Amino acid sequence: MIKLGEYRKIVGDEIIDELHLLADRISGKTIQNINSTAVGGGVAEILTRIIPLLKELGVNVGWDVIKGDEKFFVISKKIHNALHSARVEITDDELNYFLDVNQKNAEEIDFYGDIIFVHDPQPAALIEKRNKIGRNWIWRCHIDFSNPNKRIWSFLKSYIEKYDTVVFSAPTFGRDISTKQILISPSIDPLSEKNRDLPEKFIDSVFEGYGIDREKPVITQISRFDYLKDPVGVIRAYRLVKKHMDCQLVLAGGGATDDPEGKKVLKAVMEEAKQDKDIFVLHLSPASHLEINALQRGSTIILQKSLREGFGLTVSEALWKAKPVIASAVGGIPLQIIHGYSGILTHTIEGTAYWIKQLLSDPEYAKKLGENGREHIKDNFLITRHIRDYLLLFLSLYRKEDIVYL
Ligand code: UDP
């Protein structure tokens, strides 16, 4: 288990000392996180890293996962897609089923927290329990809310407005609601298996294991197999590049237990990839942190060609490794990439292909983008900043003033 003291060499003493001071003030209160999956995707990734560090700081913190059957997760994925402005049909029966499962969880979960910290839409309706038990309720939204489907948003809004505070990841996600809203961007853990330094030999062995040639450029996207991550668009961009320059493409990812669409998307990707021996579609297990780390470090360029995105942790992970990143200008990605300085922002398949060619032809420029990206992540998106923001948020719930400065 990584100890908090080990972050001192990365972020400096002052930041760690401040975390101890803030944590002391919240001792005596229990924070209970609730989400819908223990593994896979950004939320689980963040909770897995933050909770042990909060515990080390002496904060009482727990994590519970709601239970749902496949039908529930199909519906909650549709809701997720609708909030990301994708066109989906969701019937009233489905919304009722979604609420039934939330209600059942509300009856079964032991609500031991003074602060109930609910993540994302899947468990959002647990708030109905508040009438009975009171407490402080925070809804933490990790998804892009800039253009949600109106009907689904108005359905969800009636629950969200019952929370004490709502947390969004990026300024553009803020909504016109009566609840107090604050902005906290997510983070990565520089010392996790996903992000820590790795010996070059290990990186070589991972590439060798998959039969990927490190002598040739490697373009990589790490993501769950999800339409919104546009893996098929990535293959099309690669094909445009491949006409002019020899390179390989790696699409690596697994599933999340709350995402039932993965298999279908993987099938579509395999069909699009056909028999191209330079396309590597890697289906990873949830525990593949070191492999992902090695794939990111050993790649020439990292892509994140999402059509919609929450924050885009994979972008932070790649930039932290000083990699040149080409990513869509969606969700929280523009917070991380200043176009032409800490990476490249694109909007189309053609734009992505153009920039892949540019960066492959100009490795010095690509290197500079990666170096600037690493500094930007270090200053803004590491786990220590995130813990500080959460501690301030928890403390703010016990103050009378309405305005929170983070
Ligand atoms: N990830 C993983 N295994 C996979 C695919 C993704 O561990 O097969 C990780 C990835 O490294 C990142 C997180 O899951 O830490 C994905 O977060 P992001 O914000 O990029 O997207 P989300 O999946 O939450 O939409």
Side-chain angles (χ1 to χ4, degrees):
M1 190 56 68
I2 311 272
K3 293 281 174 209
L4 201 57
E6 294 178 50
Y7 294 83
R8 288 180 185 272
K9 59 181 184 291
I10 299 173
V11 297
D13 287 334
E14 273 174 36
I15 287 181
I16 305 301
D17 293 344
E18 189 189 9
L19 294 185
H20 281 285
L21 286 174
L22 291 172
D24 285 350
R25 296 198 192 167
I26 198 74
S27 64
K29 301 288 180 202
T30 300
I31 290 102
Q32 179 175 11
N33 290 278
I34 304 179
N35 83 324
S36 63
T37 178
V39 286
V43 180
E45 176 83 16
I46 290 171
L47 289 176
T48 307
R49 304 308 304 177
I50 281 191
I51 287 176
L53 294 174
L54 280 173
K55 284 190 175 156
E56 193 193 330
L57 282 164
V59 179
N60 295 322
V61 55
W63 178 7
D64 294 85
V65 176
I66 57 163
K67 292 196 189 100
D69 56 6
E70 186 167 352
K71 182 174 169 188
F72 172 76
F73 287 117
V74 167
I75 297 167
S76 63
K77 186 69 200 293
K78 279 192 189 181
I79 291 176
H80 175 95
N81 289 343
L83 292 168
H84 267 139
S85 81
R87 268 207 215 137
V88 278
E89 288 298 320
I90 307 178
T91 63
D92 286 345
D93 281 351
E94 287 177 316
L95 293 181
N96 286 333
Y97 191 80
F98 174 84
L99 293 178
D100 287 347
V101 172
N102 265 267
Q103 198 189 344
K104 194 155 185 284
N105 276 282
E107 282 157 18
E108 285 171 5
I109 290 173
D110 168 20
F111 290 91
Y112 51 80
D114 299 294
I115 298 172
I116 313 289
F117 200 3
V118 176
H119 298 262
D120 278 347
Q122 300 91 332
L126 291 180
I127 186 70
E128 295 293 23
K129 188 81 181 185
R130 187 184 187 197
N131 289 338
K132 270 200 191 146
I133 62 166
R135 323 288 172 84
N136 269 306
W137 288 70
I138 306 173
W139 188 59
R140 202 309 177 217
C141 177
H142 296 264
I143 63 182
D144 179 348
F145 253 47
S146 42
N147 188 22
N149 169 302
K150 286 202 177 68
R151 174 171 160 255
I152 297 304
W153 166 237
S154 105
F155 164 78
L156 196 66
K157 187 178 166 191
S158 58
Y159 297 94
I160 299 316
E161 288 196 320
K162 293 180 179 155
Y163 283 80
D164 295 286
T165 305
V166 174
V167 183
F168 290 107
S169 292
T172 48
F173 301 173
R175 305 301 306 167
D176 187 12
I177 48 174
S178 55
T179 323
K180 180 172 72 186
Q181 300 174 63
I182 64 166
L183 166 69
I184 298 181
S185 10
S187 64
I188 57 160
D189 183 346
L191 296 178
S192 66
E193 288 192 341
K194 183 73 67 56
N195 296 310
R196 68 175 159 79
D197 288 344
L198 289 177
E200 211 43 47
K201 258 193 175 166
F202 178 78
I203 301 173
D204 279 341
S205 72
V206 169
F207 276 71
E208 239 178 77
Y210 288 121
I212 308 164
D213 179 2
R214 284 197 75 191
E215 298 297 314
K216 278 204 298 193
V218 182
I219 321 293
T220 296
Q221 175 161 299
I222 310 278
S223 273
R224 291 178 294 105
F225 287 98
D226 181 328
Y227 288 112
L228 295 179
K229 309 287 183 184
D230 200 17
V232 169
V234 168
I235 296 178
R236 292 184 183 155
Y238 152 86
R239 288 232 158 87
L240 293 177
V241 176
K242 186 83 171 175
K243 281 186 198 159
H244 307 278
M245 301 171 107
D246 195 14
C247 59
Q248 302 157 96
L249 177 68
V250 175
L251 282 166
T257 53
D258 61 351
D259 179 4
E261 279 179 349
K263 278 194 200 116
K264 253 200 290 180
V265 179
L266 184 60
K267 196 164 162 253
V269 167
M270 300 300 275
E271 272 164 25
E272 185 71 28
K274 299 213 179 77
Q275 301 302 322
D276 188 330
K277 62 177 184 13
D278 281 336
I279 300 181
F280 299 84
V281 180
L282 313 179
H283 196 243
L284 303 176
S285 79
S288 311
H289 304 303
L290 284 171
E291 278 89 345
I292 290 177
N293 187 343
L295 287 169
Q296 287 168 330
R297 284 182 190 280
S299 296
T300 320
I301 292 172
I302 300 287
L303 300 184
Q304 192 57 54
K305 213 208 130 323
S306 305
L307 303 174
R308 292 279 182 280
E309 191 53 79
F311 181 70
L313 282 177
T314 49
V315 171
S316 328
E317 289 162 5
L319 291 176
W320 175 247
K321 292 160 188 123
K323 287 288 144 182
V325 177
I326 301 172
S328 306
V330 294
I333 292 176
L335 291 178
Q336 305 181 60
I337 293 184
I338 300 150
H339 179 71
Y341 178 75
S342 57
I344 297 294
L345 292 175
T346 56
H347 299 87
T348 59
I349 290 174
E350 292 72 22
T352 304
Y354 169 82
W355 279 106
I356 295 174
K357 283 185 277 179
Q358 288 294 111
L359 297 193
L360 289 181
S361 328
D362 191 349
E364 271 311 301
Y365 179 52
K367 185 164 174 260
K368 192 70 201 153
L369 292 177
E371 286 167 2
N372 293 342
R374 180 176 165 96
E375 278 309 299
H376 187 57
I377 297 300
K378 182 176 171 215
D379 292 342
N380 298 288
F381 302 115
L382 293 188
I383 193 168
T384 40
R385 192 273 310 148
H386 200 172
I387 292 175
R388 176 179 178 275
D389 286 354
Y390 275 173
L391 290 172
L392 287 170
L393 165 64
F394 302 150
L395 284 168
S396 76
L397 296 174
Y398 295 96
R399 293 175 61 89
K400 286 202 185 78
E401 289 91 283
D402 232 353
I403 302 168
V404 190
Y405 295 99
L406 293 181

